[in-house]
Amino acid sequence: MRVPFGESQWRTIVVASDTELRRRSYFRRMAMATRALIEELELSRRTFPDWVADVIYPYEGPILHPGGEPFTVIDTSVDDAFADDGSFRWLSGFVAFAETAPRQAPQWRVLDRLRLIDLAFKIARPDTARHFGR
């Protein structure tokens, strides 16, 4: 891709706040987008985190928290976020919310996973991610 003189090919991305990620409507829209992506790319629940890593790790643009502080991605961020779910059953439960609205907000312990999924969509599918917060 050619980048015109004076323009960066990297846009600044702001990760979702805890409040946004815990909003049931945001969570459900992310689940719907994730299910659609998994179906489109024919990903399994075990390969979906690989897609997240393949999108996030090469991104060289600025990534910020909502307050403007840098959001740091390290080479183990995806593994660390999904580490306690080796079978990735959580992902099956997550995408099930595409069909059935959650009755409660997501648990705090899964916010790192949700934030990375949100970030991957904001990088690879910004038009889709834009609808999460509607």
Side-chain angles (χ1 to χ4, degrees):
M1 172 173 124
R2 274 184 70 158
V3 180
F5 179 76
E7 290 185 30
S8 171
Q9 68 178 352
W10 305 108
R11 64 191 185 286
T12 299
I13 295 185
V14 178
V15 296
S17 68
D18 290 355
T19 302
E20 286 176 306
L21 293 172
R22 293 198 78 235
R23 196 170 344 133
R24 288 182 290 166
S25 59
Y26 199 98
F27 178 76
R28 183 152 189 227
R29 286 185 186 103
M30 276 186 25
M32 294 164 85
T34 300
R35 185 185 72 185
L37 180 87
I38 287 171
E39 290 173 0
E40 176 190 335
L41 301 180
E42 299 179 1
L43 300 171
S44 70
R45 69 182 187 208
R46 293 177 190 263
T47 59
F48 177 75
D50 295 336
W51 176 83
V52 171
D54 290 345
V55 168
I56 292 173
Y57 292 142
Y59 189 77
E60 295 180 12
I63 303 171
L64 305 174
H65 285 280
E69 316 83 50
F71 178 81
T72 304
V73 176
I74 59 172
D75 60 354
T76 61
S77 292
V78 175
D79 289 338
D80 294 346
F82 286 91
D84 66 340
D85 186 26
S87 66
F88 300 103
R89 286 188 187 169
W90 173 86
L91 189 62
S92 295
F94 172 57
V95 297
F97 288 114
E99 294 293 324
T100 306
R103 291 190 222 180
Q104 62 187 30
Q107 297 178 359
W108 291 97
R109 65 185 175 89
V110 300
L111 292 186
D112 288 340
R113 295 174 189 174
L114 295 174
R115 188 168 286 108
L116 292 176
I117 292 168
D118 178 73
L119 175 59
F121 272 99
K122 286 179 176 177
I123 293 169
R125 309 258 172 131
D127 291 339
T128 299
R130 223 173 265 128
H131 295 285
F132 294 167
R134 285 190 301 139

